[in-house]
Amino acid sequence: LSPDCSFTCHYRCRALVRLDCSGPPGAGDEDDGNEQVLEKDTNVDEPSEWEKTELDQAQVEQRIKEYNSQINSNLFMSLNKDGSYTGFIKVQLKLVRPVSVPAAKRVPSVQVGRPQPQGVKRRTSFYLPKGTVKHLHILSNTRASEVIDALLRKFTVIDNPRKFALFERSEKDEQVYLRKLGDDEQPLRLRLLAGPSEKVLSFILKENETGEVNWDAFTLPELHNFLLILQREEEEHVRRLRHRYARCRQKMQEAL
């Protein structure tokens, strides 16, 4: 267990993983203390206001022109002759569990040593760096499930895609709303309807909570390791809550 970044791995796997743990513990967490919004999960079957909107061909063309005029990059949307359109979406990966990749491959921020013999199928598990972001160039009819598949291929993740889910995140009235997208929903269409603002709409890849975990399937060392991770996560969560309330108390005292 690394004292700086809380990375955890088996003792014999330590030589196979290299992480950039630069920065002191807690660096970059100060913004969390200022976060005053609350997350609220809505039902997966509840359509967003953008999903309810229907556009004809002329409206799509007009929306694309408006979208391209508002962005400050070259990530434009383009209308195709068949009426479909292409563009970019940005997905933030917020995964709290490790992902698995082929042991012989390299992944971002991870270097794999000790090359494995050919023909031996092994996998390496690691935590994706916090705040990992990926841009994808997709079609208007690309489904959410296909976006998940594309992201896993980009990072050579070999876990079952059903373990993950794509969420839309929006901010309204100082609250953050998260909604899990259905497999057949079209992220680029939502991006066009919502506009380029990340506060109005952004996409997040998270674990797909499918039910209770069968803890009996794990070995004793794994269970002890999970308890250690949970303890660290609890301590970090309590630290952030205390920091948030201390900031709020300080503001009140300054006002008094």
Side-chain angles (χ1 to χ4, degrees), residues 28-70:
D29 291 340
E30 294 304 316
D31 291 340
D32 296 328
N34 298 328
E35 185 73 25
Q36 298 298 323
V37 293
L38 300 176
E39 289 191 355
K40 177 181 178 182
D41 292 338
T42 57
N43 193 289
V44 65
D45 297 324
E46 180 183 340
S48 64
E49 57 183 287
W50 306 294
E51 184 64 20
K52 301 173 186 176
T53 305
E54 296 292 338
L55 300 177
D56 57 31
Q57 186 67 20
Q59 290 174 321
V60 168
E61 186 175 359
Q62 180 61 30
R63 288 281 188 131
I64 291 177
K65 290 180 180 178
E66 293 175 357
Y67 182 93
N68 290 340
S69 67
Q70 296 173 21

Side-chain angles (χ1 to χ4, degrees), residues 87-99:
F88 293 86
I89 62 169
K90 183 174 75 172
V91 182
Q92 184 178 7
L93 282 70
K94 286 189 175 181
L95 304 178
V96 297
R97 303 184 188 122
V99 295

Side-chain angles (χ1 to χ4, degrees), residues 7 9-19 103 110-116 122 124-125:
F7 169 76
C9 70
H10 294 101
Y11 175 77
R12 287 178 295 179
C13 300
R14 185 172 59 181
L16 299 176
V17 179
R18 295 290 185 272
L19 292 178
V110 175
Q111 297 178 355
V112 179
R114 294 185 185 179
Q116 303 298 328
R122 297 191 62 184
T124 299
S125 295

Side-chain angles (χ1 to χ4, degrees), residues 150-216:
L151 286 169
L152 298 185
R153 287 196 302 271
K154 290 284 186 181
F155 291 94
T156 65
V157 175
I158 57 178
D159 291 316
N160 191 324
R162 302 301 298 178
K163 292 182 178 181
F164 308 93
L166 192 65
F167 287 77
E168 67 171 23
R169 178 188 185 276
S170 58
E171 295 184 20
K172 185 178 181 181
D173 299 329
E174 297 186 348
Q175 277 195 323
V176 172
Y177 294 85
L178 289 177
R179 184 181 71 91
K180 185 168 71 173
L181 299 183
D183 288 343
D184 294 329
E185 291 193 60
Q186 301 165 338
L188 188 62
R189 179 176 177 274
L190 296 176
R191 178 81 279 163
L192 176 63
L193 292 171
S197 173
E198 290 291 322
K199 285 191 174 184
V200 175
L201 174 70
S202 59
F203 296 106
I204 299 174
L205 183 72
K206 300 177 67 176
E207 281 88 1
N208 187 20
E209 301 297 342
T210 56
E212 292 295 326
V213 177
N214 181 19
W215 296 111
D216 293 332

Side-chain angles (χ1 to χ4, degrees), residues 228-254:
L228 182 59
I229 293 174
L230 286 175
Q231 180 181 350
R232 288 297 184 95
E233 289 180 349
E234 180 183 8
E235 292 173 353
E236 177 64 16
H237 186 63
V238 170
R239 185 191 70 81
R240 293 183 179 183
L241 282 175
R242 287 176 175 170
H243 178 73
R244 179 182 301 176
Y245 279 97
R247 292 272 301 180
C248 186
R249 187 180 298 110
Q250 179 185 358
K251 295 295 184 182
M252 290 181 181
Q253 289 173 347
E254 290 175 357

